[in-house]
Amino acid sequence: MRNINDNWLYLENHTPNLNEAQKASNWVSLNLPHTWNAEDATDLMPGYRRDASWYQKKLNISKIDQNQVYSLYFEGSNVTTKVYVNGKEAGSHIGGYIGFSIDVTKLIKEGNNDIFVRVDNSYDIEVIPSQKSDFFIYGGITRDVWLVSKYKNHIENIKITTPEVSAKKASVQIVSSFVNPDNSKDLSLTVTLKNPKGKKVASKTVLVSDKTSTITFENIKNPELWDTEKPNLYRLSAVLSEKNQIKDSVSEKVGFRWFEFKDHGPFYLNGKRLLIRGTHRHEEQAGVGACNDKRTTLGRYEIDKRNGSQFCTFSTLSARSRNL
């Protein structure tokens, strides 16, 4: 997984024609994340730009492994995005608040590759959020971009649930989905759960012969519960292997807790009443608009924590935790 935020070019031109954008001479250099509305929320000019722009990058790939699949992962691009690789359309996405992947396996080559991205935040009644929303809809590639390579048979997703939780025991169910599992007869999945101190609690290995596999760990005794005073988190790892050779792995955190709202409003966490006090925060910040990198987000969280807020919500996006 390789971050490719640096050394992009930007063109403030709404043409939908790739050839016209390629011929333009007024491209400017920048690094991502970026929005063309960065100053619009704080300057003295009324309104803000709702239109389209282009980004381009020379992406060097020194070697292409035929056993791998390649994609561009955008953590966020607002609002409508089209991606072109070496002159051909690779894919598109609508929506600025969720990450998306564009498969480029068949379009890339060894050496330099031309990446062009058109992003549009124009008024469009067919695209949410509403055009009458009470916040700015910042246009641009507003989060990190990554070049991701994976083994052709890889883990697509894991879903973790806790069907049973009490102070005495708990259970965890893991449903894993795979891409191209039929291409190999020697795939296996090993899932391991470690407690907050790093000690292995449970582990299981199953053969992979279908698009999904389910593993359940029962009767985890005396689980270290998650709460606001001690936010204990277990670490769960899923490793996909072929003939004992690791091909892909995913690591996630999971907490054990139960909660409920009693009649007339009281909230209970792990059987104890808890007063919830929260804040709400929009994503923008003066001078950068909606361009939130992880350093900015963590810094703002620390300010909120020092001010006494127990729960904070952020309109940010981050890459999925993955060991590649």
Side-chain angles (χ1 to χ4, degrees):
M1 195 169 183
R2 169 183 157 197
N3 185 278
I4 56 171
N5 282 354
D6 293 342
N7 302 318
W8 287 72
L9 296 175
Y10 171 72
L11 177 66
E12 196 160 285
N13 185 322
H14 66 200
T15 178
N17 188 289
L18 174 62
N19 291 330
E20 186 176 332
Q22 289 172 324
K23 294 175 182 177
S25 59
N26 55 329
W27 291 85
V28 296
S29 300
L30 53 75
N31 297 326
L32 302 179
H34 171 261
T35 173
W36 55 81
N37 301 121
E39 304 292 337
D40 288 341
T42 55
D43 64 23
L44 298 178
M45 300 295 291
Y48 69 110
R49 183 173 181 263
R50 300 288 302 275
D51 207 340
S53 292
W54 287 84
Y55 298 86
Q56 71 159 299
K57 180 179 177 62
K58 294 284 187 183
L59 178 60
N60 185 272
I61 302 175
S62 59
K63 184 178 181 180
I64 294 176
D65 187 341
Q66 299 302 318
N67 293 315
Q68 300 273 325
V69 290
Y70 296 82
S71 62
L72 296 175
Y73 178 67
F74 293 75
E75 291 189 20
S77 182
N78 210 8
V79 175
T80 302
T81 305
K82 282 190 176 182
V83 180
Y84 300 83
V85 176
N86 294 327
K88 296 182 179 180
E89 185 173 341
S92 60
H93 179 79
I94 297 175
Y97 299 97
I98 190 170
F100 61 94
S101 293
I102 303 293
D103 190 335
V104 298
T105 306
K106 296 181 180 179
L107 299 177
I108 57 174
K109 63 182 188 295
E110 292 185 352
N112 281 327
N113 293 266
D114 293 317
I115 310 298
F116 281 79
V117 183
R118 185 179 187 268
V119 186
D120 189 350
N121 74 331
S122 300
Y123 289 95
D124 187 341
I125 62 173
E126 299 297 328
V127 175
I128 56 173
S130 164
Q131 308 308 301
K132 296 182 179 180
S133 299
D134 65 343
F135 57 89
F136 284 87
I137 301 174
Y138 294 87
I141 303 177
T142 55
R143 300 292 187 271
D144 290 357
V145 181
W146 305 80
L147 174 66
V148 180
S149 59
K150 305 175 187 175
Y151 181 59
K152 286 184 177 180
N153 310 98
H154 60 267
I155 301 169
E156 183 177 35
N157 186 42
I158 61 172
K159 178 182 178 181
I160 306 169
T161 57
T162 53
E164 181 183 10
V165 180
S166 71
K168 293 183 178 181
K169 64 177 182 178
S171 64
V172 182
Q173 185 176 83
I174 306 98
V175 180
S176 305
S177 58
F178 311 96
V179 174
N180 297 323
D182 299 334
N183 289 356
S184 175
K185 296 181 180 179
D186 301 294
L187 289 176
S188 63
L189 180 73
T190 299
V191 177
T192 302
L193 182 69
K194 294 183 179 181
N195 69 14
K197 296 180 180 64
K199 181 180 179 180
K200 183 166 67 175
V201 174
S203 184
K204 188 178 293 186
T205 299
V206 296
L207 294 178
V208 175
S209 58
D210 203 348
K211 292 183 178 180
T212 61
S213 291
T214 300
I215 289 177
T216 303
F217 296 136
E218 302 278 5
N219 199 26
I220 299 169
K221 295 182 178 180
N222 302 316
E224 298 180 54
L225 299 177
W226 183 98
D227 63 30
T228 57
E229 297 298 323
K230 294 182 179 180
N232 295 311
L233 290 174
Y234 286 65
R235 172 70 68 175
L236 188 144
S237 63
V239 178
L240 183 69
S241 301
E242 182 179 37
K243 296 180 179 179
N244 296 320
Q245 182 179 1
I246 296 175
K247 296 299 183 180
D248 194 12
S249 63
V250 176
S251 180
E252 299 286 357
K253 294 178 180 179
V254 58
F256 293 106
R257 82 285 183 272
W258 74 93
F259 57 89
E260 62 178 325
F261 280 96
K262 299 285 188 179
D263 291 343
H264 310 296
F267 177 77
Y268 283 74
L269 176 65
N270 301 333
K272 298 178 181 179
R273 185 170 180 177
L274 178 68
L275 175 64
I276 300 177
R277 179 177 61 185
T279 65
H280 175 75
R281 181 188 290 282
H282 284 286
E283 62 182 338
E284 63 259 51
Q285 183 165 319
V288 296
C291 296
N292 278 311
D293 58 20
K294 293 175 180 62
R295 184 185 306 172
T296 301
T297 300
L298 289 173
R300 292 164 67 188
Y301 171 75
E302 289 298 327
I303 292 173
D304 280 340
K305 192 164 68 172
R306 287 197 298 271
N307 289 338
S309 299
Q310 294 183 25
F311 294 88
C312 299
T313 58
F314 295 89
S315 299
T316 57
L317 299 163
S318 62
R320 177 177 157 203
S321 174
R322 178 178 277 272
N323 301 322
L324 291 176

